[in-house]
Amino acid sequence: MDLTDKIFVAGHQGMVGSAIHRALTKRGFTRLLAKPKNDLDLRNQHAVNSFFESEKPAFVFMAAAKVGGILANSRYRADFLFDNLAIQTNIIHASFQFGVKKLLFLGSSCIYPKFADQPIKESALLTGPLEPTNEAYAIAKIAGIKLCQAYRHQHQRNFISAMPTNLYGLNDSYNPENSHVLPALIRRFHEAKTTGKPDVVIWGSGKPLREFLFADDLANACLLLMEHYNDEEIINVGSGEEVSILQVAEHVAEVVGFKGKIELDKSKPDGTPRKLLDSSRIHQLGFKPEVTLRKGIRLAYEDFCKRFTI
């Protein structure tokens, strides 16, 4: 990418998109295309085509998606499937139609089978059943991967796909029902601290293991891939470290300053028991996360306190 190339970051208002936008700005790229979702509905094919036809971006980072945690994925399956299929199909097809040089599609680690061998290699895709609690989102993302590969085969387009692990960071969503586990914990422990609540209840046994990556680290990985990765095969992006949900809760409680008890509601689902990506391929390209989990939680909590008054 040249510093004067037009670059479209789809989803630039979200956590991942804003991190990519920051990384590009920091590197000196001067022609970043950013359209607020109120001005450009990515689910609208005509609107997306008109935008691409007028702006003609050279590179596209596909970070736009409808996202959420276990509850949101279970409750709004139709929305997660339709919205994500529409968003990614419109952008990928418009990128083909209007001559985008290269597109990076961001998927998710939830595309892999629920009981995939750990750590999960890219070759595990479509080798077993998905985790039911996020099946709709996963199916949409798998369709996006296959669409990128299809355009490579049929039209020789350089469309690549990366699969990040669980993400958190600045500009995250803290919706009490729809957010992912880490931001949800930040909000709940903060509320408990400010209201003097004696305990915080977390879903499940606390035993499931998760891998987390700070969004700005992912953004650096995305720039690396856009500049140096051109393969058809999907590529994992993770930290290589895993921690239990209970340990995450304890870290959040410490950072927030909550002194009460952590209770486990074992009647609620755990989700996938373990999810650690094999990220050896991107690590061989030179990617190394810079933000530790404890530091990342502190940065995320500082951002939360700036953005919300609860």
Side-chain angles (χ1 to χ4, degrees):
M1 293 184 295
D2 293 330
L3 295 180
T4 56
D5 281 330
K6 279 190 174 183
I7 302 172
F8 177 44
V9 181
H12 78 284
Q13 293 178 308
M15 177 182 65
V16 173
S18 62
I20 294 172
H21 198 278
R22 284 193 299 276
L24 288 166
T25 301
K26 186 177 180 180
R27 300 275 182 94
F29 291 93
T30 58
R31 302 179 74 190
L32 304 184
L33 304 175
K35 273 279 190 178
K37 57 185 177 182
N38 290 337
D39 295 336
L40 176 60
D41 184 354
L42 297 175
R43 298 169 301 177
N44 184 312
Q45 186 180 43
H46 175 74
V48 172
N49 285 344
S50 296
F51 171 76
F52 272 75
E53 185 175 22
S54 62
E55 297 291 349
K56 292 185 171 55
F59 297 89
V60 173
F61 290 87
M62 222 349 264
K66 183 178 181 65
V67 299
I70 290 177
L71 182 61
N73 273 273
S74 300
R75 183 176 291 174
Y76 307 114
R77 295 182 183 185
D79 293 350
F80 273 83
L81 191 53
F82 176 83
D83 286 359
N84 285 303
L85 285 172
I87 290 167
Q88 64 201 34
T89 301
N90 289 339
I91 292 176
I92 294 168
H93 186 63
S95 295
F96 157 67
Q97 280 188 304
F98 299 103
V100 167
K101 292 180 183 178
K102 189 172 182 180
L103 175 144
L104 170 59
F105 175 74
L106 285 173
S108 165
S109 58
C110 74
I111 63 163
Y112 292 116
K114 179 174 182 176
F115 296 109
D117 290 340
Q118 305 286 324
I120 306 172
K121 296 182 180 294
E122 290 89 348
S123 58
L125 180 64
L126 295 176
T127 59
L130 300 166
E131 160 59 40
T133 57
N134 55 30
E135 183 182 65
Y137 183 74
I139 287 173
K141 287 299 182 180
I142 292 169
I145 293 165
K146 293 301 180 182
L147 189 58
C148 287
Q149 292 174 342
Y151 276 106
R152 291 181 68 95
H153 278 269
Q154 186 174 339
H155 299 292
Q156 295 74 54
R157 294 308 174 98
N158 194 3
F159 295 172
I160 63 173
S161 299
M163 302 302 114
T165 190
N166 297 288
L167 301 170
Y168 71 104
L170 311 183
N171 203 30
D172 207 342
S173 169
Y174 294 92
N175 184 292
E177 292 188 347
N178 297 343
S179 61
H180 286 107
V181 59
L182 209 155
L185 288 172
I186 287 175
R187 179 178 181 128
R188 287 160 64 189
F189 279 108
H190 176 82
E191 289 178 339
K193 183 186 77 169
T194 56
T195 60
K197 190 176 178 182
D199 56 51
V200 169
V201 178
I202 63 173
W203 277 27
S205 67
K207 295 179 180 179
L209 297 172
R210 292 292 180 268
E211 175 187 28
F212 292 95
L213 186 68
F214 197 65
D216 287 78
D217 279 332
L218 172 63
N220 291 331
C222 288
L223 268 63
L224 174 70
L225 293 172
M226 189 64 95
E227 293 175 333
H228 299 290
Y229 186 78
N230 298 293
D231 293 351
E232 173 184 340
E233 186 178 5
I234 61 177
I235 186 165
N236 290 337
V237 186
S239 64
E241 299 178 359
E242 59 185 342
V243 62
S244 74
I245 294 297
L246 179 57
Q247 288 174 312
V248 174
E250 291 170 344
H251 287 333
V252 173
E254 180 183 347
V255 169
V256 171
F258 174 74
K259 304 298 185 183
K261 292 179 62 178
I262 298 174
E263 302 285 354
L264 301 172
D265 183 355
K266 296 182 180 180
S267 69
K268 295 293 193 298
D270 271 338
T272 305
R274 187 185 182 207
K275 193 162 64 173
L276 174 66
L277 296 182
D278 180 340
S279 299
S280 57
R281 290 173 62 227
I282 194 169
H283 291 167
Q284 289 169 5
L285 289 176
F287 170 67
K288 184 179 180 181
E290 298 177 358
V291 181
T292 65
L293 181 60
R294 194 175 296 273
K295 179 181 177 181
I297 291 173
R298 179 176 56 79
L299 292 171
Y301 182 55
E302 289 173 358
D303 180 64
F304 170 84
C305 291
K306 291 176 184 176
R307 294 169 54 215
F308 298 95
T309 303
I310 299 177

